[in-house]
Amino acid sequence: MPRTPNYFIVDASALPEVFLKVAEAKRMLETGEADTVNMATRKVGISRSAFYKYKDAVRPFNDMLHGRIVTFQILLKDEPGVLSAVLNIFAQSGGNILTINQGIPVNGCAAVTIGAETSSLQLSLEDLLGRALEVPGVVRCEILAG
């Protein structure tokens, strides 16, 4: 019976160095900075066996979500124009909003869930979250699922 994979989102600073080097080697191969696995692994300083051992298990968060639907949870103050400003951030970033669900405000804040297709994003998900958090009236913005 095949094993169902479990995924974790982990800060890169907590990962063993080999995982970061595998991700860098994969990036070099994809961008053409290295023509072969041998060249890429030599440039980043890992063995080919380490690369092959982890290559399918390690990928940057943005790559994992590229071309996928991502669900965002946003907590907004109950003030006119806050949701509109957040939606404008998505539009300017190239995100394609598929669904918007907003709860009734409680204690002056409303929870909003946005489902967006991310393949056309012109910036990283981290940058998108950061820009949304800069909007006056946004209390919290995080990714629920991707």
Coordinates of all heavy atoms in Angstrom, one line a residue, residues 2 12 17 23 32 38 45 49 59 68 71 73 78 85 95 97 107-108 121 131 142:
P2 N 0.7 2.2 -0.9 CA 1.5 3.4 -1.0 C 1.4 4.3 0.2 O 0.3 4.4 0.7 CB 1.1 4.1 -2.3 CG -0.1 3.4 -2.8 CD -0.3 2.2 -2.0
A12 N 13.2 28.0 6.5 CA 14.4 27.5 5.9 C 15.6 27.5 6.9 O 16.5 26.6 6.8 CB 14.8 28.3 4.7
E17 N 21.5 21.9 6.2 CA 22.0 22.6 5.1 C 21.9 21.8 3.8 O 21.7 22.4 2.7 CB 23.5 22.9 5.4 CG 24.2 23.7 4.3 CD 25.6 24.1 4.7 OE1 26.1 23.5 5.7 OE2 26.2 24.9 4.0
A23 N 17.8 22.2 -2.9 CA 16.9 23.1 -3.6 C 17.6 24.1 -4.5 O 17.2 24.4 -5.6 CB 16.1 23.9 -2.5
G32 N 19.3 26.9 -15.9 CA 20.4 26.7 -16.9 C 21.7 27.1 -16.4 O 22.7 27.2 -17.1
N38 N 25.7 16.7 -12.0 CA 27.1 16.7 -11.5 C 27.6 18.1 -11.4 O 28.2 18.5 -10.3 CB 28.0 15.9 -12.5 CG 29.4 15.7 -11.9 OD1 29.5 15.4 -10.7 ND2 30.4 15.7 -12.7
G45 N 28.1 22.1 -3.5 CA 28.9 21.4 -2.5 C 28.3 20.2 -1.8 O 28.4 20.0 -0.6
S49 N 24.6 11.7 -4.8 CA 23.7 10.7 -4.0 C 22.8 11.5 -3.1 O 21.6 11.2 -3.0 CB 24.5 9.7 -3.3 OG 25.4 10.2 -2.3
R59 N 11.4 21.1 -2.1 CA 11.1 22.2 -3.0 C 10.7 23.4 -2.3 O 10.0 23.3 -1.3 CB 10.1 21.7 -4.0 CG 8.6 21.8 -3.7 CD 7.7 21.3 -4.8 NE 8.0 20.0 -5.3 CZ 7.5 18.8 -4.8 NH1 6.7 18.9 -3.8 NH2 7.9 17.7 -5.3
R68 N -1.3 26.6 -8.6 CA -2.2 25.9 -7.7 C -3.2 26.9 -7.1 O -3.0 28.1 -7.1 CB -1.6 25.2 -6.5 CG -0.8 24.0 -7.0 CD -0.5 23.2 -5.8 NE 0.1 21.9 -6.1 CZ 0.4 21.0 -5.3 NH1 0.1 21.2 -4.0 NH2 0.9 19.9 -5.7
T71 N -5.6 29.0 -0.6 CA -6.6 29.6 0.3 C -6.0 30.5 1.3 O -5.1 30.1 2.1 CB -7.5 28.5 1.0 OG1 -8.0 27.7 0.0 CG2 -8.6 29.1 1.8
Q73 N -6.6 33.2 4.6 CA -7.4 33.6 5.6 C -7.0 35.0 6.1 O -5.8 35.2 6.4 CB -7.3 32.7 6.8 CG -8.1 33.1 8.1 CD -9.5 32.7 8.0 OE1 -9.9 31.7 7.5 NE2 -10.4 33.5 8.6
D78 N -13.7 46.1 10.5 CA -14.9 46.4 9.9 C -15.0 47.9 9.6 O -15.6 48.7 10.2 CB -16.1 46.1 10.8 CG -17.5 46.3 10.2 OD1 -17.5 46.3 9.0 OD2 -18.5 46.4 11.0
A85 N -9.3 47.2 -0.8 CA -7.9 47.5 -0.9 C -7.1 46.1 -1.0 O -6.1 46.0 -1.8 CB -7.4 48.3 0.3
G95 N -2.8 37.7 -9.1 CA -3.5 36.6 -8.5 C -4.9 36.6 -9.1 O -5.6 37.6 -9.3
I97 N -8.5 35.7 -8.3 CA -9.4 35.3 -7.2 C -10.6 34.5 -7.7 O -11.3 34.9 -8.7 CB -9.9 36.6 -6.5 CG1 -8.8 37.3 -5.9 CG2 -11.0 36.3 -5.5 CD1 -9.1 38.6 -5.2
N107 N -17.0 41.8 17.1 CA -16.0 42.7 17.8 C -15.2 43.6 16.9 O -14.0 43.8 17.1 CB -15.1 41.8 18.6 CG -15.8 41.1 19.7 OD1 -16.8 41.5 20.3 ND2 -15.3 39.8 20.0
G108 N -15.8 44.1 15.8 CA -15.2 45.0 14.9 C -14.3 44.4 13.9 O -13.6 45.2 13.1
L121 N 1.1 34.9 -10.5 CA 1.6 35.9 -9.5 C 2.9 36.4 -10.0 O 3.8 35.7 -10.5 CB 1.9 35.2 -8.2 CG 0.7 35.1 -7.3 CD1 1.1 34.5 -5.9 CD2 -0.1 36.4 -7.0
R131 N 2.4 42.6 1.5 CA 1.6 43.8 1.0 C 0.2 43.8 1.5 O -0.3 44.9 1.8 CB 1.6 43.7 -0.5 CG 2.9 44.0 -1.2 CD 2.8 44.1 -2.6 NE 4.1 44.4 -3.2 CZ 4.4 44.5 -4.5 NH1 3.4 44.4 -5.4 NH2 5.6 44.7 -4.9
E142 N -2.9 35.1 6.3 CA -2.1 33.9 6.3 C -2.6 32.9 5.3 O -3.7 33.1 4.8 CB -2.1 33.3 7.7 CG -3.4 33.0 8.2 CD -3.5 32.7 9.7 OE1 -2.4 32.9 10.4 OE2 -4.5 32.3 10.2

